[in-house]
Amino acid sequence: MAASLAGCKIVQIADQEAAAPAGFDAQAYAEELWSDQVLPHFSASARPVAEVIPAVHESLEAAGNAYGYRAAEGSPWAFIVSGTGQVIAKNTESRAGTLDIKVEGLPDSVALQIGPVIRGNAIRDALPFVSFQDFTNQLEYADAGKALTALALQAISPAAENIAVGDSVAFTGAVSLANAADRLQITLVELDKTSP
């Protein structure tokens, strides 16, 4: 036993932790991008939801080329959309809460995700300056997506809590679609009540 340990160096746990590189801080990464890059990109890139959704139903590929962004061939298409409409349902029984909005020009209502559980990574997927190549591994990329989504939820939650059926709202957000049959739910970055 003593012979087998002769060539080993004993390192205190505290020294080992100090020497280890700091892990990826997804929250700090997201916060650094949010105000200076994410919100301006959404503001500049948003297209009317009443224009994008019919195009998606006609041809996801054509709509993607006209209105969307995707990181690589085979990745989901991400669309940044904005619109106004009237709340016809507020679904909070599930933790994946939604507002159903009637938008003029669309036959079906539009679902806005209000959480507290938000499905997907539409915010991250819509950002051309957030690339998988910039991260060490898939976990960091996923954590970056979660952190960006968390900031978006934090931004819209106060408004979402005070919005009721019958209210008119304005919104901006993103939707990520792998195929046209996917359920279309918008992940919000902005939500405002425009009338009682």
Side-chain angles (χ1 to χ4, degrees), residues 85-165:
Q86 185 176 45
V87 180
I88 59 172
K90 184 173 186 178
N91 310 301
T92 55
E93 298 79 13
S94 164
R95 285 179 54 76
T98 58
L99 293 174
D100 291 343
I101 310 295
K102 178 60 181 167
V103 175
E104 188 175 345
L106 291 178
D108 300 318
S109 63
V110 174
L112 309 180
Q113 297 198 76
I114 57 171
V117 173
I118 303 291
R119 294 192 169 104
N121 281 297
I123 305 291
R124 181 200 67 193
D125 293 348
L127 301 173
F129 47 85
V130 177
S131 168
F132 176 70
Q133 308 303 323
D134 298 334
F135 298 90
T136 304
N137 54 47
Q138 181 68 41
L139 288 176
E140 287 188 2
Y141 187 54
D143 286 346
K146 289 176 189 172
L148 288 162
T149 301
L151 285 179
L153 180 61
Q154 181 181 315
I156 65 97
S157 286
E161 286 174 16
N162 293 316
I163 287 170
V165 172

Side-chain angles (χ1 to χ4, degrees), residues 4 8 17 23 35 47-48 55 64 72 106 118 120 127 149 165 185 194:
S4 66
C8 295
E17 288 176 351
S35 296
R47 301 297 294 267
L106 291 178
I118 303 291
L127 301 173
T149 301
V165 172
Q185 289 191 325
T194 58

